[in-house]
Amino acid sequence: MMDKNNNKVSIEKTENAKKIANKNANTRGAYEGMEEGILKFFRWISGIFDRLFLSTKYSALFALCLACLAYFVATYDDSNTALTSSKVLSNISINSRYNSESFELTGVPQACEVVITGEAANVTNAAAKKGYCQIDLEGYTEGTHTVKMSAVGYGDSVTSIVSPSEVTITLKKKTTKQFDLSYDYINQNNMDSKYVLGTPQFNQGSKINIRASQDTLNSIALVKALIDVGGATGDFETEAPIVAYDKNGKAINAEIVPEKVKVTVKVSSPSNEVAIKLNPTGQPPVGLAIDEAVITDHQTTRIYGPQSVIDSISELYVNFDMSTISENASLELILPVTLPSGVNASDVSVVNVKVSLAAVEETTLYGIPLNAINNTENLGISEIDYTEVNVIVSGSEKNIDAVDPNEINVYFEMPKEVGTYDIPLYVESKNNPYVNLKLEIGSVHVTVVEANS
């Protein structure tokens, strides 16, 4: 019985062992099949890569695909993702809201800076707008206040930060004061110099009202109407703006009532016909003298300027420097006409001068009397060592022969106090500028006394 059971168990074990062996064989076969499939797949992929990279045709195609992919990545824009940007705006104007009728405002900066931030497109659009900074002082009273500034006009799509964010300002009560009105002519360089401007007449009187704080009113030194006379050729009427200035000539910001004034200006052109004469200076070349120098084209000219100036002028001079001429026997020059102070214009600006030279000669004029000039203190002379002197005259023979001794003036300046002096002598010729005059003695010994002594 025991043997049968043992045999049965052995048979069952043998059967189980076979089943396990068969199962392992099947599993091994499945794994081997799977491994073979995987190896085939990788060999297939390897073949594709070989064809792509080793073939010129396929490698170019692959490079093109990679380039397209790179471009797509670089230009890809996710509409749900926005770029944030900022921009600094400088020199932004400042607008102040306050009661300008009652108060004067000081302390406001000339400009401010605004930083705008938001999406790039919105920032660009906001920066193009004409925004400004604002100080709201509505309801503020007289005194010094620290207030905030805000940015206005850039839209709600961006945020704005103002710098400085706060400013300290002062409000001062306004009052009114009356000032005398004077004037300035402007753009006179654009007016023909032949014309003369008269004194302007203010149609509304010569008083003006200015409204400002007391400190500002106290700083005003003068008030002027700026009258534009550019291009004026006759009497005219215009409206001239009014400007207040401090003692340094700086314009003052104040409320001027009215801002402009009507003014009438007389324009005239006084003139006078005068002679043109040569005024020789310097010395001609050594051994030579001016024999003749004449103006060949213009003997007179008409001058223009204020009547009181031109009425006192009878002749104009052409300065002729004899030291600049050459040793030629004859030459022609073009010389400018010199205008005296106060004369605005002349019809003749240059003249032609013909000059001839000759050998220098010399002679002596004897017994020319002495003259005392400028005796402003009405003094007398008790002693003088000379009353006449000799004058040496040099020049061309023609000019020496033309010298009249009565036209030679030898003089000295009369002292202003009683005493004894050695006084220098001077000599001049009234009508012949082309001779050279020299005194044999240079001074005279004089005793000055009271006139009644």
Side-chain angles (χ1 to χ4, degrees):
M1 193 70 178
M2 289 288 293
D3 291 335
K4 287 183 178 181
N5 289 333
N6 291 333
N7 288 333
K8 188 177 181 179
V9 171
S10 297
I11 292 170
E12 290 177 355
K13 290 181 177 180
T14 300
E15 290 294 333
N16 289 334
K18 288 180 179 181
K19 289 179 180 180
I20 292 171
N22 290 333
K23 186 176 181 180
N24 289 338
N26 291 335
T27 301
R28 187 169 52 253
Y31 277 117
E32 289 176 355
M34 184 182 296
E35 181 180 355
E36 183 64 25
I38 291 172
L39 290 175
K40 286 181 179 181
F41 173 75
F42 278 106
R43 283 196 292 271
W44 179 71
I45 292 296
S46 177
I48 291 175
F49 275 92
D50 287 343
R51 285 195 296 275
L52 288 175
F53 289 109
L54 298 179
S55 169
T56 304
K57 176 181 178 181
Y58 287 110
S59 62
L61 180 61
F62 183 71
L64 177 62
C65 292
L66 287 178
C68 292
L69 179 61
Y71 175 79
F72 175 77
V73 172
T75 59
Y76 175 71
D77 181 16
D78 186 352
S79 59
N80 295 323
T81 303
L83 297 176
T84 300
S85 176
S86 294
K87 189 167 186 177
V88 178
L89 307 178
S90 301
N91 296 320
I92 304 302
S93 61
I94 299 174
N95 178 47
S96 302
R97 296 178 57 190
Y98 69 104
N99 185 355
S100 59
E101 290 293 326
S102 301
F103 296 104
E104 178 183 283
L105 174 63
T106 58
V108 178
Q110 293 292 324
C112 64
E113 186 177 273
V114 177
V115 180
I116 54 176
T117 303
E119 295 182 9
N122 293 337
V123 168
T124 300
N125 291 334
K129 296 179 179 180
K130 294 184 178 179
Y132 58 91
C133 295
Q134 181 170 279
I135 302 175
D136 191 352
L137 300 172
E138 293 292 340
Y140 281 76
T141 60
E142 185 176 15
T144 299
H145 311 277
T146 299
V147 294
K148 292 184 177 296
M149 280 203 300
S150 59
V152 178
Y154 297 104
D156 298 330
S157 61
V158 295
T159 58
S160 304
I161 299 176
V162 180
S163 177
S165 60
E166 291 184 340
V167 293
T168 299
I169 57 87
T170 301
L171 291 172
K172 297 179 181 179
K173 274 280 190 181
K174 283 186 176 181
T175 185
T176 302
K177 183 178 179 180
Q178 194 172 72
F179 290 86
D180 291 325
L181 181 61
S182 59
Y183 68 93
D184 264 345
Y185 287 133
I186 61 174
N187 294 325
Q188 281 187 269
N189 57 325
N190 295 329
M191 187 179 74
D192 194 316
S193 57
K194 293 181 179 180
Y195 295 102
V196 176
L197 298 165
T199 302
Q201 299 297 316
F202 297 112
N203 295 8
Q204 299 170 340
S206 59
K207 299 288 185 180
I208 206 75
N209 291 326
I210 297 182
R211 185 169 172 79
S213 70
Q214 192 61 54
D215 289 342
T216 298
L217 293 175
N218 292 341
S219 68
I220 295 175
L222 50 88
V223 182
K224 288 187 175 183
L226 304 182
I227 305 171
D228 189 347
V229 298
T233 58
D235 299 351
F236 68 94
E237 185 177 270
T238 188
E239 281 194 338
I242 302 173
V243 181
Y245 297 94
D246 64 14
K247 64 180 181 180
N248 297 318
K250 181 180 179 182
I252 294 175
N253 184 21
E255 182 183 346
I256 302 176
V257 184
E259 295 180 346
K260 294 183 178 181
V261 63
K262 285 186 178 180
V263 60
T264 301
V265 180
K266 296 283 187 182
V267 180
S268 60
S269 184
S271 64
N272 186 23
E273 190 81 13
V274 298
I276 301 177
K277 291 187 176 182
L278 290 174
N279 178 38
T281 62
Q283 296 296 324
V286 176
L288 295 175
I290 300 294
D291 193 46
E292 186 178 35
V294 294
I295 298 173
T296 60
D297 51 355
H298 301 286
Q299 305 304 314
T300 64
T301 184
R302 182 163 293 277
I303 59 174
Y304 302 85
Q307 195 72 56
S308 60
V309 174
I310 62 174
D311 283 348
S312 63
I313 297 173
S314 60
E315 53 196 26
L316 294 185
Y317 289 96
V318 176
N319 292 322
F320 171 37
D321 186 355
M322 295 187 292
S323 66
T324 63
I325 64 176
S326 67
E327 296 184 3
N328 295 330
S330 179
L331 65 154
E332 293 185 357
L333 305 172
I334 299 176
L335 300 175
V337 176
T338 302
L339 296 182
S341 176
V343 175
N344 295 338
S346 167
D347 284 346
V348 176
S349 57
V350 295
V351 294
N352 291 298
V353 178
K354 186 174 182 179
V355 180
S356 59
L357 304 177
V360 66
E361 304 287 342
E362 187 175 283
T363 190
T364 301
L365 300 178
Y366 298 94
I368 305 298
L370 297 182
N371 298 307
I373 65 172
N374 296 332
N375 188 7
T376 58
E377 303 301 321
N378 196 27
L379 300 175
I381 297 176
S382 63
E383 293 183 15
I384 185 169
D385 52 3
Y386 300 101
T387 59
E388 296 179 345
V389 295
N390 300 330
V391 178
I392 301 171
V393 182
S394 60
S396 70
E397 183 179 1
K398 181 177 72 172
N399 285 319
I400 289 176
D401 290 342
V403 172
D404 182 352
N406 295 321
E407 295 178 348
I408 301 295
N409 181 29
V410 180
Y411 62 93
F412 61 88
E413 292 273 355
M414 190 69 176
K416 299 188 182 302
E417 295 180 356
V418 172
T420 301
Y421 302 91
D422 286 320
I423 304 174
L425 297 177
Y426 303 94
V427 62
E428 63 183 7
S429 174
K430 296 180 179 179
N431 296 317
N432 197 332
Y434 303 117
V435 292
N436 183 48
L437 306 177
K438 186 171 66 173
L439 296 170
E440 286 189 342
I441 59 172
S443 63
V444 63
H445 189 76
V446 175
T447 300
V448 178
V449 295
E450 296 290 347
N452 296 327
S453 299

